[in-house]
Amino acid sequence: MSESLRFPVTLFTTKKRFNDFGAPDMRYGDLSESTLKHSLGLINISNVADPYRLVQLTPFDNPQSPFAGVYINRQPKMLTVKECASLLFDEMKRISLPFSLYGQYRHLINQMLNHMQNNTGAAFIDGQLHLAYKSQILNDRNTNSTRNTIIKVLNRHASYINNAKAGTLIRELAENINSSMLPKFNTFADQFNGMGVTVHDVHATKIDLIDLEQRQNRWRARVKYTAQDHFGLDISDIQNKKFRQFQFFKIWFILQRFERFGFRPFMTNMEATIDLEGALL
């Protein structure tokens, strides 16, 4: 083994930074009512509360309800900012169901909404999130996934670890991982198991080689993935038709970005350590 090589060795880090609190989707409480209504077209936000007038809504106020407009002179119930926010969060938790219909991770979205409602801005760390991330890595059958890419490189060059070519092996791994597909929650199943809405894309990823052993024609490796996403929305998100069509995301955007509320987005931290093995070609 080359004396210059010491484990762990970082094989890859995304250009997007960890703990990037200056990212557009990490802003909060920065938009006025005028901007939200007139520039972004966010007018009809909720079925239970009007965040602009701070009033509670009933079926008589919902344009899609058969009871709309029945009581023209009815006086709506006024709300405090805290009461209005509470109603909006409760509504989000109810209507999150289409994004988390099944699976062991379906409860994560409401846990993360509770975390946002606490408004500390602290990172979200949960064992189930780690499990989901590890499962995604292990079960990704794409031939260009990072896992499969690492296996292919080690099948060719794992023996380098025991001689002066150890540095070459690390460079080979780094170059190939750089052109591979990083773990993300963007499959069809992720649209309904809760992961597509809680994480979906992953903002930053780091991959470390923790250990590598090669004996005869077999090798074993341990690889650690560290990842971070942002539980927050930027303006391009809410302008995207995919998100804009759902009331869930409009409420989320208002709670985060409207200057009246300003609930803080946060980092979601994930990690997974996987064991790999193979045979030299």
Side-chain angles (χ1 to χ4, degrees):
M1 183 183 299
S2 172
E3 292 184 2
S4 63
L5 185 62
R6 294 288 183 272
F7 293 113
V9 180
T10 297
L11 301 176
F12 173 82
T13 304
T14 51
K15 292 181 180 179
K16 290 183 177 179
R17 297 183 292 110
F18 283 81
N19 300 318
D20 185 5
F21 291 96
D25 56 6
M26 293 301 290
R27 296 174 183 169
Y28 59 97
D30 60 329
L31 301 179
S32 67
E33 178 177 340
S34 177
T35 298
L36 292 166
K37 282 183 173 180
H38 304 302
S39 298
L40 298 176
L42 296 173
I43 299 172
N44 296 316
I45 306 301
S46 162
N47 291 329
V48 299
D50 185 333
Y52 302 122
R53 294 186 296 141
L54 288 179
V55 297
Q56 187 168 1
L57 303 179
T58 70
F60 302 112
D61 303 294
N62 186 345
Q64 298 178 343
S65 170
F67 304 105
V70 171
Y71 295 108
I72 298 177
N73 297 319
R74 182 184 59 84
Q75 292 298 314
K77 178 185 177 182
M78 301 303 296
L79 301 168
T80 65
V81 172
K82 184 177 181 179
E83 288 171 338
C84 185
S86 181
L87 287 173
L88 293 174
F89 271 110
D90 287 345
E91 184 177 16
M92 281 186 76
K93 293 167 191 174
R94 287 196 302 272
I95 63 178
S96 67
L97 179 62
F99 308 106
S100 52
L101 289 172
Y102 63 86
Q104 67 186 101
Y105 313 119
R106 66 186 185 278
H107 302 298
L108 274 174
I109 179 59
N110 283 353
Q111 292 178 29
M112 294 171 82
L113 289 174
N114 286 335
H115 190 75
M116 183 179 180
Q117 192 170 2
N118 289 335
N119 207 21
T120 65
F124 181 85
I125 303 172
D126 187 273
Q128 287 292 97
L129 195 57
H130 294 327
L131 286 174
Y133 186 55
K134 184 172 185 177
S135 177
Q136 199 285 335
I137 296 167
L138 292 176
N139 295 315
D140 189 346
R141 298 293 177 245
N142 191 300
T143 56
N144 198 35
S145 70
T146 55
R147 174 179 171 274
N148 287 330
T149 296
I150 292 170
I151 290 173
K152 284 185 286 188
V153 172
L154 291 179
N155 279 343
R156 295 195 304 267
H157 303 306
S159 61
Y160 288 5
I161 200 67
N162 292 320
N163 57 49
K165 292 184 177 181
T168 301
L169 170 61
I170 298 305
R171 286 193 294 275
E172 282 280 319
L173 285 166
E175 291 171 3
N176 281 270
I177 292 173
N178 192 52
S179 59
S180 67
M181 292 186 64
L182 295 172
K184 297 181 180 181
F185 296 97
N186 57 0
T187 67
F188 180 77
D190 291 327
Q191 297 180 41
F192 305 101
N193 65 12
M195 296 312 303
V197 68
T198 53
V199 179
H200 181 64
D201 204 350
V202 177
H203 182 81
T205 304
K206 183 165 79 84
I207 302 175
D208 293 314
L209 180 63
I210 303 300
D211 192 26
L212 174 61
E213 295 180 354
Q214 184 261 321
R215 294 180 181 177
Q216 296 181 348
N217 70 327
R218 302 290 303 178
W219 60 263
R220 289 189 177 188
R222 176 161 288 187
V223 180
K224 182 179 180 180
Y225 289 72
T226 306
Q228 187 177 77
D229 196 42
H230 300 169
F231 193 79
L233 299 176
D234 61 27
I235 289 177
S236 64
D237 289 327
I238 203 61
Q239 289 177 327
N240 187 322
K241 291 182 180 179
K242 180 179 179 180
F243 293 99
R244 193 183 183 87
Q245 65 180 313
F246 295 107
Q247 196 169 0
F248 177 89
F249 293 101
K250 290 192 285 186
I251 297 174
W252 179 350
F253 192 83
I254 290 291
L255 285 168
Q256 177 185 334
R257 304 297 294 269
F258 188 13
E259 59 189 5
R260 174 172 287 161
F261 299 115
F263 283 89
R264 299 174 65 178
F266 52 87
M267 307 294 181
T268 52
N269 293 339
M270 299 162 281
E271 63 178 49
T273 299
I274 63 171
D275 293 316
L276 302 174
E277 61 179 73
L280 295 174
L281 298 176

